Amino acid sequence: MRTSGFTNPYPTGKGDCMKIEKAKLGDHVEMEYSLSGVDNEDTLLFVHGLGSNLRQFEMQQQYFAKNYRVLLISLRGHGNSSAPVNPTQADYSVREMARDVQALLAHLGINKVHFVGNSMGGLVGYELLEINGGLLSSLTTFGTTARLHTSPFTHRMLLTMMRFLGPKGIAWLVGISASKDKAVRTRLKPMYEMVSKNALELITMNIADYDYMDTICRHDIPMMLIRGGKDKEINKNLGPVLEIMGNKPYFELVEMTNAGHFANMEKPSDFNEILKRFLLKQSIRNYL
């Protein structure tokens, strides 16, 4: 069921507003999304990370909607998407979020997407590759590592911080430290204020320890990893991942030396051009 559209309270530009709709997926989740652009076979799906929402990709929507169909979403518990009532840890697994995405694509009649995921959003892409690889024409990640093993001490400290600060406190922290770019921090802060407290805590529990290396090994779809030079925490975990990915036939590593964890917001023009070139290569390959 598709519910009526509503206007984005955060304008995307000069008099421009994002059109947002909601879709009910099963009995428990209502997902907000924004679908725009030209009606063709190539759909770009952008998926945010923990705490953020679809508004993270407003500039990508404006840029790519001229030539592609562009889908932005807010995962369960984020933005204006609904949150499960009395959730368990399993309700916020990466696989459950991937199934939400799968259900939304079916609802919209979209059979294939070029997937672009930031941070946790990249993990959702890996999960989709695992449960239904046929949905993905390509997979681009940034601010994401395919393998992470957080120490128990670090995990406990992070979870304690999440519980103590809650969404408002995390939003404050994001507002002062998430990026070197003050304008980016200012845009991120209201997004983090909207996330569910349960989503913050339970997802943090679920993504402390994971490994998608086998998933990567078993699939040969075109993949691109964009590495922000200032994204120190992610970069220190990328070594083994790049060793595996470097052997894949259609893999690209692209460096954005002056970008951090939110490369698409910090350097939008550079990010858009990198993604545009990657997508053009896939189009050419498909015609050969």
Side-chain angles (χ1 to χ4, degrees):
M1 181 182 85
R2 182 181 301 186
T3 61
S4 59
F6 58 95
T7 301
N8 175 14
Y10 301 96
T12 59
K14 300 176 181 178
D16 239 357
C17 283
M18 179 188 292
K19 183 182 178 183
I20 299 177
E21 297 183 281
K22 284 189 176 182
K24 188 173 182 181
L25 309 177
D27 298 326
H28 305 295
V29 175
E30 194 174 47
M31 179 178 282
E32 72 168 349
Y33 67 92
S34 180
L35 184 61
S36 62
V38 297
D39 187 12
N40 63 26
E41 293 182 358
D42 288 320
T43 299
L44 310 188
L45 169 60
F46 292 89
V47 183
H48 61 85
L50 176 59
S52 187
N53 58 52
L54 56 75
R55 293 167 186 85
Q56 178 180 342
F57 293 102
E58 290 175 346
M59 286 182 279
Q60 281 65 53
Q61 184 184 62
Q62 292 175 16
Y63 183 83
F64 286 102
K66 302 165 190 172
N67 297 299
Y68 296 92
R69 187 162 51 167
V70 180
L71 176 61
L72 314 184
I73 66 171
S74 292
L75 296 167
R76 57 170 60 191
H78 293 74
N80 286 305
S81 291
S82 65
V85 178
N86 301 318
T88 64
Q89 185 175 342
D91 289 321
Y92 278 108
S93 70
V94 180
R95 176 147 296 192
E96 281 303 306
M97 291 185 284
R99 285 176 175 148
D100 288 344
V101 175
Q102 188 178 21
L104 178 66
L105 294 177
H107 170 81
L108 296 174
I110 297 174
N111 298 317
K112 219 167 181 63
V113 296
H114 292 283
F115 189 102
V116 184
N118 174 224
S119 195
M120 181 190 71
L123 304 186
V124 174
Y126 290 137
E127 280 288 345
L128 276 177
L129 192 59
E130 182 67 27
I131 63 178
N132 189 355
L135 276 176
L136 304 187
S137 298
S138 68
L139 173 59
T140 297
T141 63
F142 65 105
T144 303
T145 177
R147 173 191 284 171
L148 184 66
H149 300 301
T150 307
S151 72
F153 174 77
T154 301
H155 183 222
R156 283 195 301 271
M157 291 293 292
L158 185 59
L159 194 55
T160 299
M161 182 183 71
M162 292 285 188
R163 288 170 174 165
F164 178 74
L165 293 177
K168 296 291 185 183
I170 294 298
W172 169 82
L173 189 61
V174 164
I176 64 170
S177 64
S179 171
K180 299 291 185 183
D181 189 324
K182 182 179 178 181
V184 171
R185 299 197 306 268
T186 299
R187 287 183 59 212
L188 283 168
K189 186 173 181 290
M191 299 183 208
Y192 279 75
E193 288 174 343
M194 298 177 72
V195 68
S196 156
K197 185 174 186 292
N198 287 325
L200 272 180
E201 293 181 12
L202 297 174
I203 293 173
T204 297
M205 295 170 67
N206 283 325
I207 63 175
D209 197 292
Y210 60 82
D211 193 333
Y212 289 103
M213 301 290 266
D214 184 60
T215 300
I216 291 171
C217 286
R218 289 186 290 102
H219 292 85
D220 284 328
I221 69 166
M223 296 184 191
M224 177 169 64
L225 191 155
I226 300 174
R227 179 164 60 183
K230 298 179 180 179
D231 197 0
K232 305 297 185 185
E233 288 303 309
I234 290 296
N235 291 346
K236 69 184 183 182
N237 291 289
L238 283 178
V241 178
L242 292 177
E243 285 184 22
I244 295 294
M245 284 185 151
N247 294 320
K248 305 301 289 182
Y250 303 118
F251 170 71
E252 291 188 34
L253 170 66
V254 181
E255 305 282 357
M256 291 185 65
T257 56
N258 293 321
H261 195 66
F262 300 96
N264 74 297
M265 300 175 72
E266 294 163 333
K267 301 292 180 182
S269 296
D270 292 345
F271 182 92
N272 292 345
E273 283 300 315
I274 289 168
L275 183 57
K276 177 183 174 181
R277 288 196 298 269
F278 178 71
L279 294 170
L280 182 58
K281 288 178 184 177
Q282 310 323 312
S283 296
I284 293 172
R285 183 177 292 123
N286 289 337
Y287 279 109
L288 294 178

